[in-house]
Amino acid sequence: MLLSPEISAQTLGAVAPEVSSNFMDVSSLLIDHHLDPEVGARMAAAMLRINPEIAQDIGAIIDIAKKKNARIVEDFFADIPEGRLKDTALAIISAWYTGVVENSANAEVFAFETALMYQPTHDVMTIPTYAISGPNGWNAEAPALGDMPTF
């Protein structure tokens, strides 16, 4: 199920601003790409719904990064202890790339077109969709029909 931003906000509920801000901070440390804050807010809400303790994990990961003066993931990822904190860090990375926060047949998709896994080939490949022109292609104005061929 692909959630629109309006529906997902209603479905997932609001996220406390500090959780959303910390989520974007830790995401920026874990992933060296331009990250959409609206997608991040939806992702944080979805992850918080599944794992209410994620806010503490995010704070602990940020503390580890600060102690290492980390600017990129390679600066501190090895220092994240195995277990819950490492699992949370990997879950955040996975969610940004896949557009879902859990691996199940009923997973809610919070980002499809903006999922990072499609960005490296965005200029040469169409994102998988049933719409001919790309995701949400049915909202675009259809191209004008050409003249009917004459025989």
Side-chain angles (χ1 to χ4, degrees):
M1 172 185 350
L2 179 60
L3 299 175
S4 71
E6 297 81 20
I7 293 173
S8 65
Q10 294 168 359
T11 304
L12 301 173
V15 177
E18 66 276 1
V19 172
S20 185
S21 175
N22 287 345
F23 186 82
M24 287 306 295
D25 289 345
V26 78
S27 293
S28 295
L29 288 166
L30 292 170
I31 301 164
D32 190 21
H33 286 283
H34 172 73
L35 304 175
D36 184 333
E38 289 183 27
V39 172
R42 291 197 305 262
M43 186 186 317
M47 293 187 95
L48 194 59
R49 185 174 47 83
I50 294 169
N51 177 9
E53 297 175 347
I54 196 168
Q56 292 85 14
D57 295 348
I58 290 170
I61 294 169
I62 289 173
D63 288 344
I64 293 168
K66 283 182 180 175
K67 287 178 185 168
K68 299 292 288 186
N69 291 322
R71 306 190 95 194
I72 59 174
V73 66
E74 288 83 2
D75 292 342
F76 76 103
F77 194 79
D79 296 305
I80 299 173
E82 293 293 330
R84 198 172 105 188
L85 287 183
K86 183 83 79 173
D87 291 345
T88 296
L90 292 171
I92 291 169
I93 293 168
S94 173
W96 277 105
Y97 277 91
T98 63
V100 296
V101 294
E102 58 186 335
N103 187 16
S104 78
N106 298 322
E108 294 175 348
V109 178
F110 62 86
F112 181 70
E113 192 173 358
T114 56
L116 293 178
M117 69 177 160
Y118 297 123
Q119 301 314 307
T121 59
H122 193 339
D123 58 337
V124 292
M125 291 185 64
T126 302
I127 296 172
T129 178
Y130 290 107
I132 293 172
S133 60
N136 295 319
W138 51 86
N139 290 334
E141 188 171 316
L145 295 175
D147 292 333
M148 291 295 290
T150 56
F151 300 98

